[in-house]
Amino acid sequence: MSLRITFAIAARVLTQLRRDHRTLAIMLVLPCLLISLLWWMFDDLPGNTFDQLGPALLAMFPFIVMFLVTSVTTLRERSGGTLERLLAMPMGKLDFLFGYAIAFGLVAAVQSAAAVALSVGLLGLSIEGPVWLLTVVAVADAVLGSALGLFVSAFARTEFQAVQFMPALVIPQILLCGLFVPRAVLPDVLNAISDVLPLSYAVDAMEHLTRSSSTGEVWTDLAVVTAYAVAGLALGAGTLRRRSE
Protein backbone atom coordinates (compact mmCIF):
# COMPACT_ATOMS: atom_id res chain seq x y z
CA MET A 1 0.00 0.00 0.00
CA SER A 2 1.37 3.42 -1.00
CA LEU A 3 0.17 6.58 0.75
CA ARG A 4 0.98 8.61 -2.34
CA ILE A 5 -1.27 6.45 -4.53
CA THR A 6 -3.98 6.29 -1.88
CA PHE A 7 -4.16 10.07 -1.57
CA ALA A 8 -4.06 10.40 -5.36
CA ILE A 9 -7.13 8.15 -5.60
CA ALA A 10 -8.85 10.19 -2.88
CA ALA A 11 -8.07 13.44 -4.71
CA ARG A 12 -9.45 11.98 -7.95
CA VAL A 13 -12.72 10.97 -6.28
CA LEU A 14 -13.10 14.36 -4.60
CA THR A 15 -12.53 16.07 -7.94
CA GLN A 16 -15.26 13.94 -9.53
CA LEU A 17 -17.66 14.73 -6.70
CA ARG A 18 -16.91 18.45 -6.92
CA ARG A 19 -17.89 18.39 -10.60
CA ASP A 20 -21.06 16.38 -9.93
CA HIS A 21 -23.17 19.09 -8.32
CA ARG A 22 -26.28 16.93 -8.06
CA THR A 23 -24.55 14.14 -6.16
CA LEU A 24 -22.76 16.65 -3.96
CA ALA A 25 -26.06 18.30 -3.09
CA ILE A 26 -27.61 14.94 -2.23
CA MET A 27 -24.71 14.10 0.07
CA LEU A 28 -24.40 17.44 1.84
CA VAL A 29 -27.86 19.02 1.74
CA LEU A 30 -30.37 16.16 1.70
CA PRO A 31 -29.79 14.93 5.30
CA CYS A 32 -30.24 18.47 6.62
CA LEU A 33 -33.44 18.92 4.61
CA LEU A 34 -34.89 15.63 5.87
CA ILE A 35 -34.04 16.42 9.49
CA SER A 36 -35.58 19.88 9.12
CA LEU A 37 -38.73 18.40 7.59
CA LEU A 38 -39.20 15.99 10.50
CA TRP A 39 -38.52 18.75 13.03
CA TRP A 40 -41.23 20.83 11.35
CA MET A 41 -43.65 17.89 11.48
CA PHE A 42 -43.16 17.41 15.22
CA ASP A 43 -42.76 21.07 16.19
CA ASP A 44 -46.40 21.65 17.21
CA LEU A 45 -46.90 18.29 18.93
CA PRO A 46 -46.91 18.11 22.74
CA GLY A 47 -43.78 16.83 24.40
CA ASN A 48 -40.21 16.81 23.15
CA THR A 49 -40.78 14.54 20.17
CA PHE A 50 -37.82 15.85 18.21
CA ASP A 51 -35.52 15.38 21.21
CA GLN A 52 -36.64 11.75 21.31
CA LEU A 53 -36.21 11.08 17.58
CA GLY A 54 -33.38 13.48 16.76
CA PRO A 55 -30.48 11.24 17.86
CA ALA A 56 -31.72 8.35 15.73
CA LEU A 57 -32.24 10.66 12.76
CA LEU A 58 -28.67 11.97 13.05
CA ALA A 59 -27.45 8.38 12.86
CA MET A 60 -29.87 7.20 10.19
CA PHE A 61 -29.84 9.82 7.43
CA PRO A 62 -26.05 10.14 6.91
CA PHE A 63 -25.79 6.34 6.93
CA ILE A 64 -28.48 5.94 4.26
CA VAL A 65 -27.25 8.72 1.99
CA MET A 66 -23.61 7.62 2.09
CA PHE A 67 -24.60 3.99 1.46
CA LEU A 68 -26.60 4.89 -1.63
CA VAL A 69 -24.14 7.36 -3.12
CA THR A 70 -21.07 5.21 -2.49
CA SER A 71 -22.62 2.00 -3.85
CA VAL A 72 -23.81 3.71 -7.04
CA THR A 73 -20.57 5.66 -7.56
CA THR A 74 -18.37 2.60 -7.07
CA LEU A 75 -20.60 0.55 -9.35
CA ARG A 76 -20.04 3.13 -12.11
CA GLU A 77 -16.29 2.65 -11.65
CA ARG A 78 -16.67 -1.11 -11.93
CA SER A 79 -19.10 -1.23 -14.85
CA GLY A 80 -17.39 1.54 -16.80
CA GLY A 81 -14.02 -0.19 -16.76
CA THR A 82 -12.37 2.51 -14.66
CA LEU A 83 -11.70 0.09 -11.83
CA GLU A 84 -10.08 -2.43 -14.17
CA ARG A 85 -7.82 0.26 -15.62
CA LEU A 86 -6.86 1.50 -12.17
CA LEU A 87 -6.06 -1.98 -10.89
CA ALA A 88 -3.94 -2.61 -14.00
CA MET A 89 -1.63 0.10 -12.72
CA PRO A 90 0.98 -0.56 -9.99
CA MET A 91 -1.63 -0.09 -7.30
CA GLY A 92 -2.90 -2.41 -4.58
CA LYS A 93 -6.52 -3.08 -3.73
CA LEU A 94 -6.09 -1.30 -0.40
CA ASP A 95 -4.87 1.81 -2.21
CA PHE A 96 -8.14 1.92 -4.14
CA LEU A 97 -10.37 1.16 -1.15
CA PHE A 98 -8.71 3.47 1.32
CA GLY A 99 -8.55 6.21 -1.30
CA TYR A 100 -12.30 5.96 -1.70
CA ALA A 101 -12.77 5.68 2.07
CA ILE A 102 -10.73 8.84 2.68
CA ALA A 103 -12.62 10.79 0.01
CA PHE A 104 -16.07 9.75 1.16
CA GLY A 105 -14.95 10.06 4.78
CA LEU A 106 -14.10 13.72 4.23
CA VAL A 107 -17.48 14.31 2.60
CA ALA A 108 -19.12 12.41 5.47
CA ALA A 109 -17.34 14.67 7.97
CA VAL A 110 -18.71 17.80 6.30
CA GLN A 111 -22.16 16.24 5.96
CA SER A 112 -22.28 15.11 9.60
CA ALA A 113 -20.94 18.39 10.95
CA ALA A 114 -23.64 20.27 9.02
CA ALA A 115 -26.39 17.93 10.28
CA VAL A 116 -25.21 18.19 13.91
CA ALA A 117 -24.84 21.99 13.70
CA LEU A 118 -28.35 22.26 12.26
CA SER A 119 -29.94 19.92 14.79
CA VAL A 120 -28.23 21.34 17.88
CA GLY A 121 -27.75 24.94 16.87
CA LEU A 122 -30.92 25.80 14.94
CA LEU A 123 -33.48 23.10 15.72
CA GLY A 124 -32.76 22.97 19.45
CA LEU A 125 -31.86 19.31 19.93
CA SER A 126 -30.95 18.89 23.60
CA ILE A 127 -27.47 17.48 24.21
CA GLU A 128 -25.95 16.59 27.58
CA GLY A 129 -22.64 15.24 26.26
CA PRO A 130 -20.01 17.01 24.17
CA VAL A 131 -21.19 18.15 20.75
CA TRP A 132 -17.84 17.26 19.17
CA LEU A 133 -18.29 13.63 20.20
CA LEU A 134 -21.79 13.63 18.72
CA THR A 135 -20.19 14.77 15.46
CA VAL A 136 -17.56 12.03 15.66
CA VAL A 137 -20.26 9.37 16.03
CA ALA A 138 -22.18 10.84 13.09
CA VAL A 139 -19.03 10.79 10.94
CA ALA A 140 -18.25 7.17 11.91
CA ASP A 141 -21.81 6.19 11.03
CA ALA A 142 -21.60 7.89 7.64
CA VAL A 143 -18.25 6.18 6.96
CA LEU A 144 -19.91 2.88 7.86
CA GLY A 145 -22.52 3.58 5.18
CA SER A 146 -19.73 4.22 2.68
CA ALA A 147 -17.91 1.02 3.62
CA LEU A 148 -21.06 -1.07 3.16
CA GLY A 149 -21.75 0.73 -0.12
CA LEU A 150 -18.28 -0.19 -1.39
CA PHE A 151 -18.91 -3.79 -0.44
CA VAL A 152 -22.35 -4.26 -2.01
CA SER A 153 -21.33 -2.59 -5.26
CA ALA A 154 -19.54 -5.82 -6.15
CA PHE A 155 -22.82 -7.74 -6.27
CA ALA A 156 -24.76 -5.39 -8.54
CA ARG A 157 -24.60 -5.01 -12.32
CA THR A 158 -26.76 -1.89 -12.60
CA GLU A 159 -27.44 1.15 -10.43
CA PHE A 160 -30.98 -0.11 -9.87
CA GLN A 161 -29.60 -3.37 -8.48
CA ALA A 162 -27.35 -1.41 -6.13
CA VAL A 163 -30.38 0.44 -4.76
CA GLN A 164 -32.16 -2.90 -4.29
CA PHE A 165 -29.70 -3.78 -1.53
CA MET A 166 -31.37 -1.19 0.71
CA PRO A 167 -34.26 -3.50 1.72
CA ALA A 168 -31.76 -6.22 2.61
CA LEU A 169 -29.05 -4.26 4.45
CA VAL A 170 -30.41 -0.87 5.43
CA ILE A 171 -34.15 -1.05 6.14
CA PRO A 172 -33.88 -3.88 8.75
CA GLN A 173 -31.35 -1.77 10.63
CA ILE A 174 -33.70 1.23 10.55
CA LEU A 175 -36.59 -0.87 11.87
CA LEU A 176 -34.58 -2.44 14.70
CA CYS A 177 -32.26 0.41 15.74
CA GLY A 178 -34.69 1.81 18.31
CA LEU A 179 -36.24 4.55 16.20
CA PHE A 180 -39.78 3.13 16.29
CA VAL A 181 -39.65 0.84 19.34
CA PRO A 182 -37.03 0.94 22.11
CA ARG A 183 -34.66 -1.99 21.65
CA ALA A 184 -35.17 -3.06 25.27
CA VAL A 185 -38.84 -3.91 24.64
CA LEU A 186 -38.34 -5.71 21.34
CA PRO A 187 -39.14 -9.45 21.26
CA ASP A 188 -36.13 -11.53 22.28
CA VAL A 189 -35.35 -12.70 18.75
CA LEU A 190 -35.53 -9.20 17.28
CA ASN A 191 -33.52 -7.80 20.17
CA ALA A 192 -30.81 -10.38 19.51
CA ILE A 193 -30.78 -9.45 15.82
CA SER A 194 -30.54 -5.74 16.65
CA ASP A 195 -27.50 -6.51 18.83
CA VAL A 196 -25.49 -7.50 15.74
CA LEU A 197 -26.57 -4.57 13.55
CA PRO A 198 -24.13 -1.63 13.52
CA LEU A 199 -26.76 1.10 13.21
CA SER A 200 -28.13 0.05 16.62
CA TYR A 201 -24.83 1.03 18.25
CA ALA A 202 -24.70 4.36 16.43
CA VAL A 203 -28.20 5.20 17.65
CA ASP A 204 -27.35 4.04 21.18
CA ALA A 205 -24.31 6.34 21.21
CA MET A 206 -26.35 9.30 19.95
CA GLU A 207 -29.12 8.73 22.48
CA HIS A 208 -26.64 8.36 25.34
CA LEU A 209 -25.08 11.72 24.47
CA THR A 210 -28.50 13.38 24.66
CA ARG A 211 -29.23 11.88 28.10
CA SER A 212 -25.90 11.91 29.93
CA SER A 213 -22.60 13.75 30.02
CA SER A 214 -20.65 10.53 30.62
CA THR A 215 -18.90 9.15 27.56
CA GLY A 216 -17.75 5.64 28.50
CA GLU A 217 -20.61 3.82 26.79
CA VAL A 218 -20.36 6.14 23.80
CA TRP A 219 -16.75 5.15 23.12
CA THR A 220 -17.71 1.47 23.33
CA ASP A 221 -20.52 1.95 20.81
CA LEU A 222 -18.23 4.04 18.60
CA ALA A 223 -15.63 1.26 18.64
CA VAL A 224 -18.26 -1.23 17.44
CA VAL A 225 -19.36 1.05 14.59
CA THR A 226 -15.72 1.61 13.57
CA ALA A 227 -15.04 -2.13 13.64
CA TYR A 228 -17.97 -2.75 11.30
CA ALA A 229 -16.69 -0.03 8.95
CA VAL A 230 -13.22 -1.61 8.85
CA ALA A 231 -14.78 -5.03 8.27
CA GLY A 232 -16.82 -3.59 5.40
CA LEU A 233 -13.64 -2.23 3.79
CA ALA A 234 -11.91 -5.58 4.27
CA LEU A 235 -14.81 -7.42 2.62
CA GLY A 236 -14.80 -4.83 -0.14
CA ALA A 237 -11.11 -5.55 -0.78
CA GLY A 238 -11.99 -9.20 -1.32
CA THR A 239 -14.48 -8.30 -4.05
CA LEU A 240 -12.02 -6.31 -6.17
CA ARG A 241 -10.78 -8.15 -9.23
CA ARG A 242 -8.03 -7.27 -11.66
CA ARG A 243 -10.29 -8.12 -14.59
CA SER A 244 -13.97 -7.37 -15.04
CA GLU A 245 -16.33 -10.24 -15.80
Side-chain angles (χ1 to χ4, degrees):
M1 178 175 172
S2 169
L3 288 178
R4 182 180 61 82
I5 296 176
T6 299
F7 285 118
I9 293 293
R12 172 183 167 275
V13 175
L14 289 173
T15 300
Q16 287 181 322
L17 290 175
R18 182 168 55 85
R19 294 172 178 171
D20 189 348
H21 297 158
R22 182 172 55 186
T23 299
L24 200 60
I26 290 174
M27 297 173 74
L28 298 181
V29 179
L30 184 59
C32 292
L33 288 178
L34 293 175
I35 291 173
S36 299
L37 175 62
L38 287 172
W39 169 82
W40 196 4
M41 288 170 55
F42 299 128
D43 187 39
D44 293 331
L45 295 181
N48 297 320
T49 306
F50 183 71
D51 283 342
Q52 298 171 10
L53 298 179
L57 299 179
L58 277 176
M60 184 178 68
F61 287 140
F63 173 79
I64 294 173
V65 171
M66 294 306 295
F67 174 85
L68 285 173
V69 172
T70 307
S71 60
V72 171
T73 302
T74 311
L75 177 61
R76 289 176 183 172
E77 300 279 63
R78 294 176 186 267
S79 60
T82 305
L83 175 58
E84 183 179 349
R85 292 193 296 272
L86 287 172
L87 291 178
M89 300 168 61
M91 176 187 68
K93 295 179 179 181
L94 290 180
D95 292 317
F96 176 84
L97 276 177
F98 278 101
Y100 263 71
I102 290 171
F104 283 112
L106 290 174
V107 176
V110 176
Q111 176 199 77
S112 301
V116 170
L118 173 72
S119 300
V120 178
L122 295 180
L123 304 184
L125 179 66
S126 299
I127 298 293
E128 295 294 333
V131 175
W132 67 266
L133 187 53
L134 188 74
T135 306
V136 170
V137 176
V139 171
D141 191 41
V143 172
L144 170 65
S146 293
L148 292 180
L150 286 169
F151 171 60
V152 304
S153 67
F155 304 99
R157 292 293 178 266
T158 65
E159 295 178 11
F160 180 69
Q161 289 180 355
V163 174
Q164 286 178 320
F165 278 98
M166 270 201 68
L169 291 180
V170 176
I171 292 181
Q173 297 195 60
I174 295 173
L175 295 177
L176 300 178
C177 71
L179 175 63
F180 300 104
V181 178
R183 293 176 59 212
V185 300
L186 286 173
D188 291 341
V189 174
L190 296 181
N191 190 27
I193 295 174
S194 73
D195 285 340
V196 298
L197 299 178
L199 189 59
S200 299
Y201 294 91
V203 172
D204 285 350
M206 294 286 195
E207 291 181 342
H208 187 81
L209 285 169
T210 63
R211 297 192 307 263
S212 172
S213 59
S214 64
T215 59
E217 294 182 18
V218 177
W219 287 110
T220 301
D221 292 332
L222 181 60
V224 174
V225 173
T226 303
Y228 270 97
V230 173
L233 289 175
L235 291 171
T239 67
L240 296 179
R241 295 178 294 274
R242 293 284 173 178
R243 302 185 60 174
S244 301
E245 294 181 355

